[in-house]
Amino acid sequence: MMNKINVAIDGPAGAGKSTVAKAVAARLQYMYIDTGAMYRALTWKALNTRTNVKEESKLVELLANTSIIMDKYGQGNVYADNDNVTEAIRSEAVTANVSDVAMHPQVRKQMVLQQRQLAAENGAVLDGRDIGTVVLPNAELKIFLQASVEIRASRRHQEHLDNGLPSDLEFIKKDIERRDKIDSSREASPLLKAEDAVEIDSSNKSIAEVTDIICRIAEERIQSHDHI
Ligand code: DC
């Protein structure tokens, strides 16, 4: 019986984490857990219920009363209670507010507990900002995925165009820089590379290349994990 490992993929917005994480999960036949989608779903709920995203206690209460469910093997649908919010959580309004939601320590604490539960049986690929440092400090494989701001902005821009959404490259670039700053300088688990993470710069690599690199290391780790 092959033992399963957990794969943690962290990095800034637009480095390609979710695309690569999904591909790695499919290849390994693991589940994919998009932790950013959980913060986005709470942000959507807050906007929808007119909850002030700056008020931590209100958000904690809202989170306690909201069930955020994700299809772990299927289409990647995300639900906040009975609403399918898969598309709504990618809106500009949610994107503009999610960093404010994710900066609250008590919100993070609850999210981290839920994320650990989802990954408790191993066999998961998680992407986020604090997976290797806080959520799963013992993950068998940690990846820190980087890319230049220019590349990250142009990828998001293309993604919007592909989805028929309006898009402004300069606006995206500024927004990515603004979010990088909030995510990296916040007090509660800022975006940091774990000491034992493998750093990959995806700027000049295709999705397939990055996926291959990660899967190769994952296979090695799975084998050495089998001997323990
Ligand atoms: O990866 P994303 O763009 O969907 O993430 C949305 C926001 O949530 C982003 O501003 C960073 C934050 N986030 C976080 O703080 N911790 C995580 N584990 C995942 C996302």
Side-chain angles (χ1 to χ4, degrees):
M1 176 65 194
M2 278 251 267
N3 272 313
K4 291 184 167 180
I5 64 168
N6 277 328
V7 182
I9 304 184
D10 292 303
K17 295 185 301 295
S18 63
T19 311
V20 164
K22 261 181 235 166
V24 170
R27 185 99 62 94
L28 299 174
Q29 293 189 291
Y30 280 10
M31 59 185 164
Y32 165 55
I33 301 168
D34 176 353
T35 64
M38 298 170 72
Y39 289 97
R40 285 174 179 273
L42 178 62
T43 305
W44 178 86
K45 191 80 183 182
L47 296 176
N48 216 38
T49 54
R50 298 175 184 273
T51 305
N52 186 345
V53 296
K54 306 264 181 194
E55 278 191 62
E56 181 169 33
S57 60
K58 292 270 166 59
L59 283 174
V60 170
E61 195 187 326
L62 184 65
L63 179 57
N65 292 309
T66 305
S67 79
I68 297 172
I69 310 273
M70 296 184 295
D71 287 348
K72 289 171 300 205
Y73 296 102
Q75 307 301 315
N77 281 309
V78 184
Y79 300 85
D81 295 322
N82 295 320
D83 292 299
N84 183 334
V85 296
T86 314
E87 282 175 23
I89 60 170
R90 306 292 160 194
S91 72
E92 265 185 38
V94 168
T95 301
N97 284 281
V98 65
S99 289
D100 282 330
V101 168
M103 67 183 286
H104 300 299
Q106 294 304 320
V107 170
R108 302 197 67 83
K109 199 171 153 195
Q110 292 309 315
M111 289 290 195
V112 167
L113 290 176
Q114 292 189 20
Q115 291 156 8
R116 283 185 188 148
Q117 263 173 12
L118 290 169
E121 290 177 12
N122 278 17
V125 180
L126 293 86
D127 77 351
R129 304 293 187 290
D130 60 341
I131 310 303
T133 50
V134 178
V135 180
L136 302 175
N138 296 321
E140 289 79 7
L141 175 56
K142 300 177 186 177
I143 302 290
F144 196 80
L145 198 58
Q146 271 292 8
S148 68
V149 173
E150 286 71 23
I151 294 274
R152 292 189 282 136
S154 70
R155 284 180 187 161
R156 272 283 144 93
H157 182 55
Q158 194 56 48
E159 208 175 281
H160 291 164
L161 298 180
D162 289 346
N163 291 322
L165 297 169
S167 192
D168 176 341
L169 183 59
E170 269 316 295
F171 174 84
I172 294 175
K173 196 172 154 216
K174 293 227 167 66
D175 191 58
I176 284 183
E177 282 169 337
R178 182 187 68 86
R179 286 209 288 151
D180 275 0
K181 209 163 150 204
I182 301 179
D183 294 342
S184 312
S185 61
R186 70 174 172 230
E187 241 163 78
S189 24
L191 171 64
L192 274 178
K193 175 180 167 296
E195 247 176 62
D196 52 349
V198 178
E199 186 161 348
I200 301 174
D201 188 326
S202 75
S203 302
N204 299 308
K205 289 188 177 70
S206 67
I207 293 161
E209 283 173 304
V210 177
T211 305
D212 283 347
I213 296 171
I214 297 175
C215 286
R216 207 173 51 229
I217 310 172
E219 297 293 352
E220 286 169 16
R221 301 276 164 106
I222 291 167
Q223 282 183 11
S224 58
H225 193 64
D226 271 344
H227 294 299
I228 295 168

